[in-house]
Amino acid sequence: MNIIDGNKIAKDIIEDLKNEVGQLPNGRPTVAFIRVGEDPASISYVRKKQKTAEAIGIHAELTVLPESISQEELFAVIETYNKNDAVNGILIQAPLPKHIDETATFNQVDPRKDVDGFHTLNIGKLCQEDASGFVACTPAGIVELIKRSQIETEGKHVVVLGRSQIVGKPATLLMVRKGTPGNATVTVCHSRTQNLADITRQADILIAAIGKAHFVTKEMVKPGASIIDVGINRIPDATKKSGTRLVGDVDFDAVSPLCEHITPVPGGVGPMTVAMLMQNTLKAFKAMNS
Ligand code: NDP
């Protein structure tokens, strides 16, 4: 059993990006973060992204907007960044307040600066296997983990648990596309799937992205499978100072002895998401300066 070290892989990618940014002949990339409201998780995610950007040499700007902001006012802020040639990437931290339409907001970002890969145009490019688009950071990170762990996907049965716009669907497209990693036979499961365990037991590679702690048990896994656990769930834990701890969608202790490869939570997919955001920002900078 091989526990995939997402922290180490992300660190290697960040080091490579730092070297590349340091050698850019024409300035350095800029990413603009927009955070709406004071959600503690969003504050912490944006801080982590800012810190990583600065460590690489990517200039990071942050705009914090009040929870009460109207959609029109938010769009006006996005438009300012769209028009600013010095800004290469724009990231709007989700979740947004309920009165704001998230899809419309993501589509307001100039697709050339859509480093989150959520714009309809970039999702379309992913469907068409057009490499000029931006791929959403978490699925891009999953692919990178699979690639760097030398997990064969060609002809394999990949089962994706979850069909969200930001993880399940793009991960499905990436696994089915022509290429390496890719060329897999993919089954997508969701809350209406019947006989779920019968399907997951057929998986050579199982990508779990449903947001339910310890959902995947050992009875649901084929011995020798590789498992990518995307879930981030907080559960009570009296032994911790905070009274809680983070776990994935997979019952790691029970499932890991059966697996060929498995990602831990934390320290698996999570750090890769931030690394891929930085990679996308450098890609946007290069495209704008070529
Ligand atoms: P969503 O809530 O948007 O989607 C969850 C998906 O799981 C849906 O497709 C849903 O089905 C499906 N699902 C829910 N319950 C079941 C069930 N009992 N059986 C089968 N399918 C089910 O979640 P996200 O995709 O945004 O996130 C998934 C997890 O990944 C979360 O824990 C999240 O925190 C984590 N995450 C981690 C990231 C990282 O950087 N590591 C980044 C993004 C997310 P249906 O469509 O029918 O409702």
Side-chain angles (χ1 to χ4, degrees):
M1 184 249 302
N2 170 34
I3 299 177
I4 298 173
D5 187 347
N7 282 324
K8 161 85 173 64
I9 295 173
K11 211 169 144 213
D12 290 347
I13 293 169
I14 286 165
E15 201 51 44
D16 289 349
L17 290 171
K18 191 175 168 183
N19 289 334
E20 205 177 332
V21 168
Q23 286 169 24
L24 287 171
N26 45 0
R28 56 187 188 132
T30 294
V31 60
F33 298 111
I34 300 174
R35 172 163 65 73
V36 182
E38 300 298 323
D39 172 53
S42 293
I43 293 173
S44 144
Y45 286 140
V46 171
R47 194 177 293 139
K48 172 79 189 142
K49 290 168 187 174
Q50 261 184 300
K51 269 186 155 176
T52 308
E54 278 151 16
I56 291 171
I58 292 174
H59 179 63
E61 284 181 19
L62 171 64
T63 300
V64 179
L65 301 169
E67 180 97 20
S68 59
I69 194 160
S70 71
Q71 186 152 304
E72 292 66 34
E73 287 166 323
L74 173 59
F75 283 10
V77 174
I78 297 170
E79 200 48 33
T80 313
Y81 282 129
N82 281 344
K83 288 196 178 127
N84 183 347
D85 290 341
V87 171
N88 310 108
I90 302 170
L91 181 137
I92 302 144
Q93 184 63 45
L96 292 170
K98 286 202 168 41
H99 64 276
I100 291 177
D101 179 336
E102 261 187 21
T103 306
T105 303
F106 296 142
N107 279 335
Q108 201 62 30
V109 174
D110 181 334
R112 295 169 309 156
K113 301 187 180 189
D114 173 37
V115 287
D116 241 347
F118 293 163
H119 192 288
T120 302
L121 187 90
N122 284 314
I123 296 168
K125 285 189 174 187
L126 176 59
C127 287
Q128 293 178 335
E129 306 191 13
D130 176 344
S132 72
F134 293 102
V135 176
C137 301
T138 301
I142 293 170
V143 167
E144 204 59 37
L145 284 179
I146 288 175
K147 192 162 119 190
R148 289 180 185 238
S149 306
Q150 292 167 348
I151 299 171
E152 180 62 79
T153 57
E154 179 147 342
K156 301 293 179 189
H157 188 187
V158 175
V159 174
V160 180
L161 276 182
R163 57 175 166 181
S164 72
Q165 297 291 345
I166 62 164
V167 189
K169 278 195 191 124
T172 300
L173 290 167
L174 289 165
M175 287 296 108
V176 84
R177 73 177 169 178
K178 291 177 182 157
T180 310
N183 284 332
T185 304
V186 186
T187 305
V188 188
C189 301
H190 45 78
S191 66
R192 309 299 169 93
T193 300
Q194 295 183 355
N195 306 322
L196 190 79
D198 288 345
I199 300 168
T200 57
R201 265 197 302 272
Q202 293 171 31
D204 299 307
I205 300 166
L206 181 62
I207 300 175
I210 63 172
K212 289 199 158 49
H214 294 159
F215 181 87
V216 177
T217 59
K218 67 177 194 306
E219 291 74 25
M220 295 169 72
V221 173
K222 175 169 83 175
S226 292
I227 301 202
I228 308 292
D229 189 355
V230 187
I232 301 178
N233 310 290
R234 196 166 278 286
I235 60 163
D237 184 342
T239 67
K240 301 281 176 205
K241 216 163 132 194
S242 64
T244 62
R245 73 184 161 108
L246 290 181
V247 297
D249 288 347
V250 178
D251 183 355
F252 184 89
D253 292 342
V255 168
S256 56
L258 292 176
C259 299
E260 176 81 27
H261 300 271
I262 187 164
T263 61
V265 176
V269 176
M272 294 300 290
T273 300
V274 180
M276 293 299 105
L277 174 69
M278 301 303 143
Q279 196 160 286
N280 278 350
T281 303
L282 178 57
K283 179 176 171 169
F285 175 86
K286 284 180 177 169
M288 281 177 213
N289 289 279
S290 62

